[in-house]
């Protein structure tokens, strides 16, 4: 259905110290999410990595982060780097847990009925300003329609 790339807390330890987190106290979650994705779309992985939550830094090295973020960059190379907020909400999980998410689409998809790709950024809760995870969801490609032949005729139209 959708191709997703998630970076959440996974085993392993960071091989390098994360860059100091950018000042985000005055930014809204939506702005942080947008800046995070814009950094990924510009292949500025160091800046995007700096916006990750401390527990993600501990579990995911910059190199692993780059590998996970590169498909988003590649999609941006094809669709353009301008993104727009598509939706935001709360995902309810097991045991009463919840995660805030922001979904963005590429501006080039703004006239489409359904966007070809959706980029999601997840936060721990409503007050968090550090990115907990991200994903790219690609819409399935529609199969090309085969031309229909008129019933009773086999592609031949002779006139008498």
């Amino acid at each position: 259905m959708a191709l997703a790339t998630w970076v959440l807390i996974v085993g392993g330890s960071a091989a390098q110290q994360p860059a100091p987190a950018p000042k985000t106290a005055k930014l809204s979650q939506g702005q942080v999410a947008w800046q995070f994705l814009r950094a990924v779309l510009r292949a500025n992985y160091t800046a995007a990595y700096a916006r990750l939550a401390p527990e993600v830094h501990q579990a995911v090295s910059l190199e692993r982060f780059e590998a996970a973020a590169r498909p988003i960059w590649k999609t941006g190379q094809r669709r353009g780097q301008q993104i727009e907020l598509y939706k935001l909400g709360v995902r309810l999980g097991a045991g009463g847990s919840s995660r805030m998410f922001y979904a963005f689409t590429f501006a080039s998809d703004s006239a489409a009925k359904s966007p070809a790709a959706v980029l999601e950024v997840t936060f721990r809760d409503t007050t968090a300003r550090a990115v907990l995870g991200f994903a790219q969801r690609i819409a399935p490609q529609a199969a090309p329609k085969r031309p229909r032949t008129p019933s009773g005729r086999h592609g031949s139209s002779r006139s008498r």
Side-chain angles (χ1 to χ4, degrees):
M1 179 163 159
L3 171 66
T5 304
W6 277 102
V7 171
L8 290 174
I9 303 170
V10 292
S13 62
Q16 102 188 51
Q17 288 289 58
K23 294 182 181 182
T24 57
K26 294 182 183 182
L27 297 178
S28 69
Q29 276 186 336
Q31 290 169 318
V32 171
W34 185 84
Q35 288 182 355
F36 170 81
L37 288 172
R38 290 289 296 146
V40 169
L41 291 168
R42 289 189 315 268
N44 187 349
Y45 300 119
T46 305
Y49 187 77
R51 293 202 177 278
L52 295 174
E55 60 267 34
V56 179
H57 281 204
Q58 292 173 357
V60 179
S61 69
L62 177 58
E63 292 77 22
R64 285 181 58 201
F65 169 74
E66 284 183 34
R70 197 165 290 117
I72 293 175
W73 174 82
K74 286 181 182 178
T75 302
Q77 295 300 295
R78 291 188 306 274
R79 306 205 72 73
Q81 293 186 11
Q82 296 302 316
I83 56 174
E84 300 172 341
L85 183 62
Y86 181 59
K87 62 182 166 181
L88 60 102
V90 178
R91 286 220 169 81
L92 302 176
S97 67
S98 63
R99 299 276 186 251
M100 290 293 302
F101 76 91
Y102 291 78
F104 293 82
T105 60
F106 289 95
S108 60
D109 287 341
S110 63
K113 183 176 179 182
S114 296
V118 176
L119 309 176
E120 291 184 5
V121 177
T122 308
F123 294 90
R124 179 182 307 105
D125 55 36
T126 58
T127 62
R129 295 299 183 267
V131 173
L132 188 62
F134 65 97
Q136 171 176 241
R137 301 193 188 282
I138 304 293
Q141 297 293 325
K145 292 185 179 182
R146 294 177 27 185
R148 293 177 48 188
T149 57
S151 63
R153 303 209 181 214
H154 299 287
S156 157
S157 60
R158 288 189 212 178
S159 58
R160 295 190 172 169

